[in-house]
Amino acid sequence: MTALRRFARNRLAVVGAVALAVLVLFVLVGPLVYPTEQVATDLGAANLPPGTDGHPLGTDALGYDNLGRLMIAGRVSLLVGVLAGALATVVGTLWGAVAGYVGGVVDAVMMRVVDAGIAIPAIFLLLVLSTIVRPTVGMMIVVLGLVSWLVPARLIRAEALSVRTRDYVVAARAMGATHRRTVLTHVIPNTVGTVVVNATFQVADAILLVAYISFLGMGVQPPTTDWGAMLNDGINYIYQGAWWLILPPGLAIVIVVCALNFVGDGLRDVVDVKGRTA
C-alpha cells in the first residue's frame, strides 16, 4: 500500500488537508474574487451587522469589510506561521542532528542549551522581544522561528543517536567522509519523516503564537493585520453584541490549527508504518 493510500485511510487527515486547501485558496484567491477597501476607513459604516449594505460578514470599528479583512489577515497569519515553522524546523533539525551525531560533551552542552530554552516560556520571550523591537512581519517570523526550534532539536537529536550507529553511516565514516557530509547526506535525510511530521505541528504552534501576541496588542501593527489582531480589535465591542468581529477570526484560527494537527497525525501514521516495515 502506498504512502498516499495510507494517508487517505485516515479520514481526519483527509479532512484536514481539504480544509487547509480551502483556507489557502480563501486567503490567496479570495481578495481577487471579492476585492474590498482595506486602507481608507469609513466610520459611517462602522460595526454594521452581517448582510448590511453588501457586507456578508458585516464591518469592523473602522468600517472595513469583515470578510475582506479576514482574507487579508489570513495571508499574514499563514505567511508568518509557515515561514516561522520552516525556520524553526531547519534550525532544530541542524542543531539536533549535530548534537546526536557528535555525541559526548558536545551533545551534552548543546542539549543543556535546549533544556534551558525550553524552561523559559516562549510566550514570555515573545512579549519581552516585542517591547524591544518593532513587531513587523519579518521580525515576527524570525523571532517565532528562533523560539520554536527547541522541540524539533530534541526530536531530531533522538533520531540522530539511532542513525549514527547504522551500517551505512559507519561505512561512510570509514571511507573518509567528513562529519559535515555525513550529517547532511546520511543523518538528516534519514530523519526526514520525523522532520516533516513535526513541521506541521510547528506551523500550527506558530500560528497560535502569532494570534496570542497580536491579541495582546503586541503583534504586527496597523494597517497590517492578522487573525489575532482582529480578535484584539473586536473584543472591545463583543459586549455590544458585535459577535461578527470575534467569531470569524476565532473560527479561522481553530480550523487551521486543527487541520494542521489532523494532517500531522496522518503523516505520522505513514511514517510509523514505514518504520515498522523497514
Side-chain angles (χ1 to χ4, degrees):
M1 183 178 293
T2 65
L4 182 59
R5 289 181 179 178
R6 283 194 291 267
F7 182 85
R9 289 182 63 183
N10 188 324
R11 294 183 179 180
L12 286 179
V14 174
V15 170
V18 172
L20 278 179
V22 171
L23 275 172
V24 170
L25 288 175
F26 175 73
V27 302
L28 295 182
V29 181
L32 302 177
V33 178
Y34 183 75
T36 57
E37 175 58 62
Q38 296 293 327
V39 177
T41 60
D42 183 6
L43 298 180
N47 291 337
L48 294 178
T52 304
D53 295 338
H55 301 289
L57 291 181
T59 61
D60 65 8
L62 296 177
Y64 294 131
D65 182 270
N66 216 36
L67 179 58
R69 200 73 170 163
L70 191 67
M71 297 173 185
I72 300 300
R75 286 183 175 183
V76 176
S77 292
L78 293 183
L79 175 67
V80 174
V82 170
L83 293 184
L87 178 60
T89 299
V90 170
V91 174
T93 298
L94 291 174
W95 188 279
V98 171
Y101 171 76
V102 176
V105 175
V106 174
D107 176 39
V109 172
M110 293 179 72
M111 296 316 296
R112 294 300 77 74
V113 172
V114 171
D115 292 340
I118 290 177
I120 304 173
I123 191 70
F124 174 75
L125 287 176
L126 290 171
L127 289 174
V128 171
L129 290 172
S130 66
T131 64
I132 299 173
V133 296
R134 177 177 172 80
T136 62
V137 172
M139 185 58 65
M140 290 288 287
I141 293 171
V142 173
V143 171
L144 284 170
L146 294 181
V147 300
S148 303
W149 63 273
L150 302 167
V151 172
R154 292 179 67 92
L155 292 174
I156 301 307
R157 180 252 185 181
E159 291 283 330
L161 286 173
S162 172
V163 170
R164 72 172 184 172
T165 60
R166 295 180 183 174
D167 293 341
Y168 52 83
V169 175
V170 175
R173 294 169 62 182
M175 294 173 64
T178 63
H179 294 311
R180 183 178 67 177
R181 181 178 177 81
T182 303
V183 169
L184 294 178
T185 61
H186 295 290
V187 177
I188 292 179
N190 284 282
T191 63
V192 68
T194 301
V195 171
V196 171
V197 171
N198 182 256
T200 61
F201 300 125
Q202 287 300 314
V203 173
D205 289 344
I207 290 174
L208 279 178
L209 285 172
V210 172
Y212 293 155
I213 295 299
S214 296
F215 180 72
L216 295 174
M218 296 182 179
V220 292
Q221 301 300 303
T224 307
T225 189
D226 59 57
W227 288 331
M230 290 183 68
L231 289 174
N232 176 262
D233 294 337
I235 197 67
N236 298 316
Y237 302 93
I238 190 64
Y239 295 111
Q240 299 177 18
W243 56 267
W244 58 90
L245 300 180
I246 294 293
L247 189 59
L251 280 177
I253 293 171
V254 170
I255 290 172
V256 73
V257 171
C258 289
L260 284 165
N261 279 277
F262 291 158
V263 171
D265 285 339
L267 292 174
R268 182 166 54 193
D269 290 344
V270 172
V271 172
D272 286 347
V273 170
K274 284 185 176 180
R276 291 195 298 267
T277 57

PDB file of all heavy atoms in Angstrom, residues 227-253:
ATOM      1  N   TRP A 227      -5.205  37.437  12.141  1.00  0.00           N
ATOM      2  CA  TRP A 227      -6.410  36.978  12.827  1.00  0.00           C
ATOM      3  C   TRP A 227      -6.390  37.335  14.311  1.00  0.00           C
ATOM      4  O   TRP A 227      -7.419  37.662  14.887  1.00  0.00           O
ATOM      5  CB  TRP A 227      -6.574  35.485  12.633  1.00  0.00           C
ATOM      6  CG  TRP A 227      -6.975  35.123  11.234  1.00  0.00           C
ATOM      7  CD1 TRP A 227      -7.699  35.892  10.367  1.00  0.00           C
ATOM      8  CD2 TRP A 227      -6.702  33.899  10.542  1.00  0.00           C
ATOM      9  NE1 TRP A 227      -7.881  35.236   9.173  1.00  0.00           N
ATOM     10  CE2 TRP A 227      -7.287  34.005   9.252  1.00  0.00           C
ATOM     11  CE3 TRP A 227      -6.018  32.730  10.866  1.00  0.00           C
ATOM     12  CZ2 TRP A 227      -7.206  32.991   8.301  1.00  0.00           C
ATOM     13  CZ3 TRP A 227      -5.939  31.708   9.932  1.00  0.00           C
ATOM     14  CH2 TRP A 227      -6.528  31.840   8.668  1.00  0.00           C
ATOM     15  N   GLY A 228      -5.228  37.270  14.949  1.00  0.00           N
ATOM     16  CA  GLY A 228      -5.141  37.646  16.360  1.00  0.00           C
ATOM     17  C   GLY A 228      -5.437  39.119  16.570  1.00  0.00           C
ATOM     18  O   GLY A 228      -6.095  39.505  17.543  1.00  0.00           O
ATOM     19  N   ALA A 229      -4.949  39.967  15.650  1.00  0.00           N
ATOM     20  CA  ALA A 229      -5.222  41.401  15.749  1.00  0.00           C
ATOM     21  C   ALA A 229      -6.711  41.682  15.557  1.00  0.00           C
ATOM     22  O   ALA A 229      -7.270  42.586  16.191  1.00  0.00           O
ATOM     23  CB  ALA A 229      -4.400  42.155  14.708  1.00  0.00           C
ATOM     24  N   MET A 230      -7.374  40.914  14.680  1.00  0.00           N
ATOM     25  CA  MET A 230      -8.821  41.068  14.513  1.00  0.00           C
ATOM     26  C   MET A 230      -9.560  40.736  15.810  1.00  0.00           C
ATOM     27  O   MET A 230     -10.531  41.416  16.182  1.00  0.00           O
ATOM     28  CB  MET A 230      -9.320  40.180  13.376  1.00  0.00           C
ATOM     29  CG  MET A 230      -8.876  40.622  11.990  1.00  0.00           C
ATOM     30  SD  MET A 230      -9.579  39.580  10.672  1.00  0.00           S
ATOM     31  CE  MET A 230     -11.332  40.024  10.781  1.00  0.00           C
ATOM     32  N   LEU A 231      -9.100  39.703  16.505  1.00  0.00           N
ATOM     33  CA  LEU A 231      -9.695  39.373  17.797  1.00  0.00           C
ATOM     34  C   LEU A 231      -9.483  40.500  18.798  1.00  0.00           C
ATOM     35  O   LEU A 231     -10.396  40.862  19.552  1.00  0.00           O
ATOM     36  CB  LEU A 231      -9.094  38.074  18.340  1.00  0.00           C
ATOM     37  CG  LEU A 231      -9.471  36.775  17.630  1.00  0.00           C
ATOM     38  CD1 LEU A 231      -8.671  35.611  18.198  1.00  0.00           C
ATOM     39  CD2 LEU A 231     -10.959  36.504  17.753  1.00  0.00           C
ATOM     40  N   ASN A 232      -8.289  41.058  18.800  1.00  0.00           N
ATOM     41  CA  ASN A 232      -7.972  42.161  19.704  1.00  0.00           C
ATOM     42  C   ASN A 232      -8.856  43.371  19.427  1.00  0.00           C
ATOM     43  O   ASN A 232      -9.338  44.030  20.354  1.00  0.00           O
ATOM     44  CB  ASN A 232      -6.498  42.534  19.568  1.00  0.00           C
ATOM     45  CG  ASN A 232      -6.128  43.744  20.402  1.00  0.00           C
ATOM     46  OD1 ASN A 232      -6.071  44.867  19.904  1.00  0.00           O
ATOM     47  ND2 ASN A 232      -5.865  43.524  21.680  1.00  0.00           N
ATOM     48  N   ASP A 233      -9.065  43.662  18.140  1.00  0.00           N
ATOM     49  CA  ASP A 233      -9.917  44.798  17.781  1.00  0.00           C
ATOM     50  C   ASP A 233     -11.384  44.545  18.135  1.00  0.00           C
ATOM     51  O   ASP A 233     -12.097  45.452  18.574  1.00  0.00           O
ATOM     52  CB  ASP A 233      -9.809  45.091  16.278  1.00  0.00           C
ATOM     53  CG  ASP A 233      -8.422  45.573  15.883  1.00  0.00           C
ATOM     54  OD1 ASP A 233      -7.699  46.086  16.758  1.00  0.00           O
ATOM     55  OD2 ASP A 233      -8.069  45.424  14.698  1.00  0.00           O
ATOM     56  N   GLY A 234     -11.829  43.317  17.968  1.00  0.00           N
ATOM     57  CA  GLY A 234     -13.240  43.012  18.166  1.00  0.00           C
ATOM     58  C   GLY A 234     -13.651  42.812  19.610  1.00  0.00           C
ATOM     59  O   GLY A 234     -14.833  42.977  19.945  1.00  0.00           O
ATOM     60  N   ILE A 235     -12.689  42.461  20.484  1.00  0.00           N
ATOM     61  CA  ILE A 235     -13.051  42.159  21.875  1.00  0.00           C
ATOM     62  C   ILE A 235     -13.663  43.364  22.570  1.00  0.00           C
ATOM     63  O   ILE A 235     -14.456  43.233  23.503  1.00  0.00           O
ATOM     64  CB  ILE A 235     -11.809  41.648  22.651  1.00  0.00           C
ATOM     65  CG1 ILE A 235     -12.221  40.940  23.939  1.00  0.00           C
ATOM     66  CG2 ILE A 235     -10.853  42.786  22.953  1.00  0.00           C
ATOM     67  CD1 ILE A 235     -12.953  39.656  23.717  1.00  0.00           C
ATOM     68  N   ASN A 236     -13.305  44.578  22.126  1.00  0.00           N
ATOM     69  CA  ASN A 236     -13.842  45.788  22.748  1.00  0.00           C
ATOM     70  C   ASN A 236     -15.330  45.983  22.469  1.00  0.00           C
ATOM     71  O   ASN A 236     -15.992  46.763  23.160  1.00  0.00           O
ATOM     72  CB  ASN A 236     -13.071  47.017  22.252  1.00  0.00           C
ATOM     73  CG  ASN A 236     -11.600  46.963  22.618  1.00  0.00           C
ATOM     74  OD1 ASN A 236     -11.250  46.611  23.741  1.00  0.00           O
ATOM     75  ND2 ASN A 236     -10.733  47.298  21.675  1.00  0.00           N
ATOM     76  N   TYR A 237     -15.842  45.300  21.451  1.00  0.00           N
ATOM     77  CA  TYR A 237     -17.237  45.502  21.055  1.00  0.00           C
ATOM     78  C   TYR A 237     -18.098  44.260  21.270  1.00  0.00           C
ATOM     79  O   TYR A 237     -19.270  44.255  20.902  1.00  0.00           O
ATOM     80  CB  TYR A 237     -17.303  45.914  19.575  1.00  0.00           C
ATOM     81  CG  TYR A 237     -16.518  47.169  19.282  1.00  0.00           C
ATOM     82  CD1 TYR A 237     -15.192  47.098  18.850  1.00  0.00           C
ATOM     83  CD2 TYR A 237     -17.089  48.423  19.458  1.00  0.00           C
ATOM     84  CE1 TYR A 237     -14.465  48.245  18.600  1.00  0.00           C
ATOM     85  CE2 TYR A 237     -16.362  49.583  19.203  1.00  0.00           C
ATOM     86  CZ  TYR A 237     -15.055  49.479  18.781  1.00  0.00           C
ATOM     87  OH  TYR A 237     -14.332  50.629  18.538  1.00  0.00           O
ATOM     88  N   ILE A 238     -17.526  43.226  21.857  1.00  0.00           N
ATOM     89  CA  ILE A 238     -18.260  41.975  21.998  1.00  0.00           C
ATOM     90  C   ILE A 238     -19.460  42.144  22.920  1.00  0.00           C
ATOM     91  O   ILE A 238     -20.515  41.531  22.718  1.00  0.00           O
ATOM     92  CB  ILE A 238     -17.324  40.849  22.510  1.00  0.00           C
ATOM     93  CG1 ILE A 238     -18.016  39.493  22.420  1.00  0.00           C
ATOM     94  CG2 ILE A 238     -16.872  41.135  23.929  1.00  0.00           C
ATOM     95  CD1 ILE A 238     -18.349  39.065  21.024  1.00  0.00           C
ATOM     96  N   TYR A 239     -19.345  43.009  23.930  1.00  0.00           N
ATOM     97  CA  TYR A 239     -20.458  43.202  24.858  1.00  0.00           C
ATOM     98  C   TYR A 239     -21.537  44.117  24.283  1.00  0.00           C
ATOM     99  O   TYR A 239     -22.576  44.321  24.901  1.00  0.00           O
ATOM    100  CB  TYR A 239     -19.946  43.754  26.184  1.00  0.00           C
ATOM    101  CG  TYR A 239     -19.044  42.782  26.907  1.00  0.00           C
ATOM    102  CD1 TYR A 239     -17.688  43.030  27.044  1.00  0.00           C
ATOM    103  CD2 TYR A 239     -19.556  41.588  27.415  1.00  0.00           C
ATOM    104  CE1 TYR A 239     -16.854  42.129  27.685  1.00  0.00           C
ATOM    105  CE2 TYR A 239     -18.733  40.675  28.051  1.00  0.00           C
ATOM    106  CZ  TYR A 239     -17.382  40.952  28.183  1.00  0.00           C
ATOM    107  OH  TYR A 239     -16.562  40.043  28.801  1.00  0.00           O
ATOM    108  N   GLN A 240     -21.247  44.679  23.105  1.00  0.00           N
ATOM    109  CA  GLN A 240     -22.259  45.451  22.392  1.00  0.00           C
ATOM    110  C   GLN A 240     -23.013  44.574  21.376  1.00  0.00           C
ATOM    111  O   GLN A 240     -23.801  45.075  20.588  1.00  0.00           O
ATOM    112  CB  GLN A 240     -21.607  46.634  21.680  1.00  0.00           C
ATOM    113  CG  GLN A 240     -20.916  47.611  22.626  1.00  0.00           C
ATOM    114  CD  GLN A 240     -20.217  48.733  21.879  1.00  0.00           C
ATOM    115  OE1 GLN A 240     -20.489  48.991  20.707  1.00  0.00           O
ATOM    116  NE2 GLN A 240     -19.291  49.398  22.570  1.00  0.00           N
ATOM    117  N   GLY A 241     -22.711  43.296  21.406  1.00  0.00           N
ATOM    118  CA  GLY A 241     -23.389  42.356  20.530  1.00  0.00           C
ATOM    119  C   GLY A 241     -22.745  42.176  19.175  1.00  0.00           C
ATOM    120  O   GLY A 241     -23.320  41.518  18.303  1.00  0.00           O
ATOM    121  N   ALA A 242     -21.534  42.723  18.976  1.00  0.00           N
ATOM    122  CA  ALA A 242     -20.859  42.622  17.677  1.00  0.00           C
ATOM    123  C   ALA A 242     -20.093  41.300  17.585  1.00  0.00           C
ATOM    124  O   ALA A 242     -18.864  41.273  17.481  1.00  0.00           O
ATOM    125  CB  ALA A 242     -19.922  43.808  17.475  1.00  0.00           C
ATOM    126  N   TRP A 243     -20.834  40.204  17.603  1.00  0.00           N
ATOM    127  CA  TRP A 243     -20.224  38.875  17.594  1.00  0.00           C
ATOM    128  C   TRP A 243     -19.439  38.600  16.315  1.00  0.00           C
ATOM    129  O   TRP A 243     -18.513  37.782  16.299  1.00  0.00           O
ATOM    130  CB  TRP A 243     -21.298  37.808  17.761  1.00  0.00           C
ATOM    131  CG  TRP A 243     -22.390  37.892  16.733  1.00  0.00           C
ATOM    132  CD1 TRP A 243     -23.563  38.560  16.847  1.00  0.00           C
ATOM    133  CD2 TRP A 243     -22.376  37.309  15.421  1.00  0.00           C
ATOM    134  NE1 TRP A 243     -24.308  38.442  15.698  1.00  0.00           N
ATOM    135  CE2 TRP A 243     -23.597  37.681  14.802  1.00  0.00           C
ATOM    136  CE3 TRP A 243     -21.476  36.523  14.715  1.00  0.00           C
ATOM    137  CZ2 TRP A 243     -23.926  37.289  13.508  1.00  0.00           C
ATOM    138  CZ3 TRP A 243     -21.801  36.125  13.423  1.00  0.00           C
ATOM    139  CH2 TRP A 243     -23.009  36.506  12.833  1.00  0.00           C
ATOM    140  N   TRP A 244     -19.830  39.272  15.209  1.00  0.00           N
ATOM    141  CA  TRP A 244     -19.188  39.024  13.924  1.00  0.00           C
ATOM    142  C   TRP A 244     -17.736  39.521  13.881  1.00  0.00           C
ATOM    143  O   TRP A 244     -17.003  39.188  12.970  1.00  0.00           O
ATOM    144  CB  TRP A 244     -19.988  39.685  12.797  1.00  0.00           C
ATOM    145  CG  TRP A 244     -20.161  41.179  12.949  1.00  0.00           C
ATOM    146  CD1 TRP A 244     -19.336  42.156  12.479  1.00  0.00           C
ATOM    147  CD2 TRP A 244     -21.222  41.840  13.636  1.00  0.00           C
ATOM    148  NE1 TRP A 244     -19.812  43.397  12.831  1.00  0.00           N
ATOM    149  CE2 TRP A 244     -20.977  43.232  13.538  1.00  0.00           C
ATOM    150  CE3 TRP A 244     -22.361  41.404  14.319  1.00  0.00           C
ATOM    151  CZ2 TRP A 244     -21.823  44.183  14.098  1.00  0.00           C
ATOM    152  CZ3 TRP A 244     -23.202  42.354  14.877  1.00  0.00           C
ATOM    153  CH2 TRP A 244     -22.939  43.725  14.760  1.00  0.00           C
ATOM    154  N   LEU A 245     -17.324  40.297  14.875  1.00  0.00           N
ATOM    155  CA  LEU A 245     -15.940  40.747  14.940  1.00  0.00           C
ATOM    156  C   LEU A 245     -15.028  39.701  15.586  1.00  0.00           C
ATOM    157  O   LEU A 245     -13.816  39.749  15.419  1.00  0.00           O
ATOM    158  CB  LEU A 245     -15.840  42.062  15.726  1.00  0.00           C
ATOM    159  CG  LEU A 245     -16.629  43.246  15.172  1.00  0.00           C
ATOM    160  CD1 LEU A 245     -16.432  44.472  16.059  1.00  0.00           C
ATOM    161  CD2 LEU A 245     -16.214  43.548  13.741  1.00  0.00           C
ATOM    162  N   ILE A 246     -15.621  38.775  16.323  1.00  0.00           N
ATOM    163  CA  ILE A 246     -14.858  37.770  17.064  1.00  0.00           C
ATOM    164  C   ILE A 246     -14.960  36.388  16.432  1.00  0.00           C
ATOM    165  O   ILE A 246     -13.962  35.674  16.271  1.00  0.00           O
ATOM    166  CB  ILE A 246     -15.355  37.703  18.533  1.00  0.00           C
ATOM    167  CG1 ILE A 246     -15.038  38.999  19.262  1.00  0.00           C
ATOM    168  CG2 ILE A 246     -14.727  36.520  19.255  1.00  0.00           C
ATOM    169  CD1 ILE A 246     -13.566  39.237  19.472  1.00  0.00           C
ATOM    170  N   LEU A 247     -16.166  36.003  16.053  1.00  0.00           N
ATOM    171  CA  LEU A 247     -16.399  34.623  15.600  1.00  0.00           C
ATOM    172  C   LEU A 247     -15.615  34.241  14.345  1.00  0.00           C
ATOM    173  O   LEU A 247     -14.959  33.185  14.335  1.00  0.00           O
ATOM    174  CB  LEU A 247     -17.896  34.406  15.383  1.00  0.00           C
ATOM    175  CG  LEU A 247     -18.335  32.962  15.123  1.00  0.00           C
ATOM    176  CD1 LEU A 247     -17.936  32.062  16.289  1.00  0.00           C
ATOM    177  CD2 LEU A 247     -19.845  32.889  14.895  1.00  0.00           C
ATOM    178  N   PRO A 248     -15.609  35.033  13.257  1.00  0.00           N
ATOM    179  CA  PRO A 248     -14.886  34.606  12.047  1.00  0.00           C
ATOM    180  C   PRO A 248     -13.390  34.387  12.249  1.00  0.00           C
ATOM    181  O   PRO A 248     -12.875  33.316  11.897  1.00  0.00           O
ATOM    182  CB  PRO A 248     -15.184  35.730  11.041  1.00  0.00           C
ATOM    183  CG  PRO A 248     -16.479  36.306  11.503  1.00  0.00           C
ATOM    184  CD  PRO A 248     -16.429  36.237  12.990  1.00  0.00           C
ATOM    185  N   PRO A 249     -12.640  35.359  12.830  1.00  0.00           N
ATOM    186  CA  PRO A 249     -11.203  35.085  13.015  1.00  0.00           C
ATOM    187  C   PRO A 249     -10.949  33.970  14.016  1.00  0.00           C
ATOM    188  O   PRO A 249      -9.990  33.195  13.866  1.00  0.00           O
ATOM    189  CB  PRO A 249     -10.640  36.422  13.516  1.00  0.00           C
ATOM    190  CG  PRO A 249     -11.810  37.161  14.072  1.00  0.00           C
ATOM    191  CD  PRO A 249     -12.978  36.734  13.249  1.00  0.00           C
ATOM    192  N   GLY A 250     -11.806  33.859  15.049  1.00  0.00           N
ATOM    193  CA  GLY A 250     -11.633  32.782  16.014  1.00  0.00           C
ATOM    194  C   GLY A 250     -11.818  31.420  15.367  1.00  0.00           C
ATOM    195  O   GLY A 250     -11.031  30.488  15.596  1.00  0.00           O
ATOM    196  N   LEU A 251     -12.862  31.287  14.546  1.00  0.00           N
ATOM    197  CA  LEU A 251     -13.090  30.032  13.835  1.00  0.00           C
ATOM    198  C   LEU A 251     -11.953  29.732  12.859  1.00  0.00           C
ATOM    199  O   LEU A 251     -11.552  28.566  12.710  1.00  0.00           O
ATOM    200  CB  LEU A 251     -14.422  30.094  13.082  1.00  0.00           C
ATOM    201  CG  LEU A 251     -15.687  29.857  13.904  1.00  0.00           C
ATOM    202  CD1 LEU A 251     -16.919  30.030  13.030  1.00  0.00           C
ATOM    203  CD2 LEU A 251     -15.670  28.473  14.542  1.00  0.00           C
ATOM    204  N   ALA A 252     -11.448  30.759  12.190  1.00  0.00           N
ATOM    205  CA  ALA A 252     -10.351  30.552  11.229  1.00  0.00           C
ATOM    206  C   ALA A 252      -9.127  29.977  11.928  1.00  0.00           C
ATOM    207  O   ALA A 252      -8.478  29.053  11.427  1.00  0.00           O
ATOM    208  CB  ALA A 252     -10.007  31.866  10.537  1.00  0.00           C
ATOM    209  N   ILE A 253      -8.802  30.517  13.102  1.00  0.00           N
ATOM    210  CA  ILE A 253      -7.646  30.021  13.856  1.00  0.00           C
ATOM    211  C   ILE A 253      -7.868  28.575  14.278  1.00  0.00           C
ATOM    212  O   ILE A 253      -6.982  27.721  14.128  1.00  0.00           O
ATOM    213  CB  ILE A 253      -7.389  30.915  15.087  1.00  0.00           C
ATOM    214  CG1 ILE A 253      -6.946  32.308  14.648  1.00  0.00           C
ATOM    215  CG2 ILE A 253      -6.314  30.294  15.985  1.00  0.00           C
ATOM    216  CD1 ILE A 253      -6.885  33.319  15.776  1.00  0.00           C
TER     217      ILE A 253
END
